[in-house]
Every structure is written in C-alpha cells, then in structure tokens.
Amino acid sequence: DVKVTQSSRYLVKRTGEKVFLECVQDMDHENMFWYRQDPGLGLRLIYFSYDVKMKEKGDIPEGYSVSREKKERFSLILESASTNQTSMYLCASSFVAGGRTGELFFGEGSRLTVL
Amino acid sequence: LAKTTQPISMDSYEGQEVNITCSHNNIATNDYITWYQQFPSQGPRFIIQGYKTKVTNEVASLFIPADRKSSTLSLPRVSLSDTAVYYCLVGDDTGGFKTIFGAGTRLFVKA
C-alpha cells in the first residue's frame, strides 16, 4: 500500500516563527501536493510538484514556500507563521501513467495552530 | 472543469443502503468521475472511479447513466464507521493539480 507520512500530526507555533512541514511518500510517485483544509472552504491547493526540484503554485501560495530535493520528500515552509495560517495541512501524492494521473493518496494531516 | 453539485449532508441508519447523487451537467468527453471518502482528522481516501455505466469494488458501487450528467455512489449496508464526508470529483486529471475538492456530502450513520 502507498504510504504518505507527514512528520507531525499536531503543532503549536507562535506568530513569526518559521515552520517546516515534512511529507514523505514511499511509492515513487512523480506528483506531490500540499493542501490546506478549513471548515466551509474545503481543500485548497497551496503548491504542487511534478518532479524533483520542480514546483508550481496552486491556488493559495502566498505566505508559503516548498522544497523538493528528493523524489520522495516534499516540504512545506511557512517563512513567518501568522494566525491565519492556523489550519489542517494535507500532503498528497499521485503517479503518472499513460499521460494521465492516478488517484491522490493523502497523508493523515498536520494540524497547525499559530498563536 | 466540470462543476459538481451534491447534497451537503445525509443521515442514515446502520444496515441501510445509502445512495449519494452528484450532478455534473457540463461533464466533458474526457472526464472521469471519482469519489473520495474523508474520515474526521484524516486525509481523503480514493474509493471509486468510473467513466460510464456501473463500477463496483469492495467498498462501493458507482452508477453512471448514459448521458453522464449525474452519478450515484452506492454504499451497501452502511455501518457507523462509514460516517464521513464523501467528495464527488469530475475531470480528466483526477490526481493532478487541477483536481478540485468541493464541500462534499457529510454522511452521518446512526445506530
């Protein structure tokens, strides 16, 4: 089974701190994604990556950056955390075959609280 | 991207069959219909995908009429553990950056 592992289930940080959220997948998937999920707003795409060192902005990239130095690892960075970044963060991966992407595999999520 | 419409919430009792319908009137020829399930405090999980007619797996069935403007996810004999949010997605890139999750249908199964 595909396993997508997020480094922390729960984090509490202070405003202005730099925050790293790590995600690792073990199935050699090309695509990796970071979403945030907030009540009433559904899942919103922050950044995605389709290859090592490649990254593309999603719908809400402001205040975030990402890093993908190895195929299996995709990191989300909050350079200076703010209270409006309190949210559930979800990492996902998917494979590419025959020009189409397979389904998304999600991690269990990281619930970040910024005080 | 095809917009989807599904009920906000549904209630059911254990042992019943649950059918969740999704409308997607402007579905394109290349689009697939995909359903995800999300339990509280977890990420969504793929449950089924189809293009036309009927698809069945160990978790659910997906019924798609000939015009493909709607689809129905059928969960046989639900249990309390089926309480979750169910998302209907339509697109030709259901695992890529164009994948859009709407609000989903919150299913609550009662004893």
Side-chain angles (χ1 to χ4, degrees), chain A residues 9 33 37 94 101-102 104 106, chain B residues 32 36 38 41 44 87 93 95:
Chain A
R9 289 299 307 274
F33 308 82
Q37 185 171 31
S94 67
T101 58
L104 290 162
F106 283 87
Chain B
Y32 284 73
Y36 285 81
Q38 185 177 22
S41 299
Y87 298 95
D93 185 24

Side-chain angles (χ1 to χ4, degrees), chain B residues 38-52:
Chain B
Q38 185 177 22
F39 297 117
S41 299
Q42 293 187 24
R45 178 179 76 116
F46 168 90
I47 49 175
I48 199 164
Q49 183 180 73
Y51 184 81
K52 61 181 178 180

Side-chain angles (χ1 to χ4, degrees), chain A residues 9-10 31 33 35 37 41-43 45 48 88 90 93-95 100-109 111, chain B residues 30 32 34 36 38 41-46 49 87 89 91-103:
Chain A
R9 289 299 307 274
Y10 301 94
N31 298 332
F33 308 82
Y35 293 85
Q37 185 171 31
L41 296 176
L43 277 78
L45 181 63
F48 68 96
M88 169 70 89
L90 291 161
S93 71
S94 67
F95 64 86
R100 290 191 68 241
T101 58
E103 70 267 23
L104 290 162
F105 292 86
F106 283 87
E108 292 199 320
R111 186 166 293 281
Chain B
N30 293 335
Y32 284 73
T34 308
Y36 285 81
Q38 185 177 22
S41 299
Q42 293 187 24
R45 178 179 76 116
F46 168 90
Q49 183 180 73
Y87 298 95
L89 285 70
D92 63 353
D93 185 24
T94 50
F97 69 92
K98 293 185 286 183
T99 303
I100 296 176
F101 286 79

Side-chain angles (χ1 to χ4, degrees), chain A residues 65-112:
Chain A
S65 62
V66 291
S67 173
R68 193 168 181 198
E69 295 297 318
K70 294 184 178 181
K71 190 174 185 180
E72 68 270 19
R73 188 179 297 270
F74 193 35
S75 304
L76 180 69
I77 304 153
L78 287 67
E79 295 290 343
S80 178
S82 63
T83 55
N84 63 11
Q85 292 178 310
T86 291
S87 187
M88 169 70 89
Y89 290 88
L90 291 161
C91 175
S93 71
S94 67
F95 64 86
V96 179
R100 290 191 68 241
T101 58
E103 70 267 23
L104 290 162
F105 292 86
F106 283 87
E108 292 199 320
S110 299
R111 186 166 293 281
L112 172 66

Side-chain angles (χ1 to χ4, degrees), chain A residues 1-5 24-29 32 72 93:
Chain A
D1 281 351
V2 173
K3 192 165 177 64
V4 179
T5 303
V24 177
Q25 51 96 1
D26 65 359
M27 282 299 289
D28 203 35
H29 284 176
M32 295 190 75
E72 68 270 19
S93 71

Side-chain angles (χ1 to χ4, degrees), chain B residues 7-83:
Chain B
I8 294 174
S9 65
M10 297 179 68
D11 287 345
S12 182
Y13 288 93
E14 282 189 292
Q16 289 187 334
E17 178 184 75
V18 171
N19 295 308
I20 307 173
T21 297
C22 179
S23 297
H24 29 80
N25 290 319
N26 59 341
I27 188 170
T29 303
N30 293 335
D31 287 347
Y32 284 73
I33 300 154
T34 308
W35 286 80
Y36 285 81
Q37 173 190 55
Q38 185 177 22
F39 297 117
S41 299
Q42 293 187 24
R45 178 179 76 116
F46 168 90
I47 49 175
I48 199 164
Q49 183 180 73
Y51 184 81
K52 61 181 178 180
T53 63
K54 176 184 174 182
V55 180
T56 296
N57 62 22
E58 65 278 5
V59 176
S61 295
L62 179 59
F63 298 92
I64 305 167
D67 67 5
R68 303 200 327 123
K69 294 184 183 299
S70 67
S71 58
T72 300
L73 176 73
S74 181
L75 304 172
R77 296 182 299 281
V78 294
S79 63
L80 298 176
S81 62
D82 291 314
T83 293

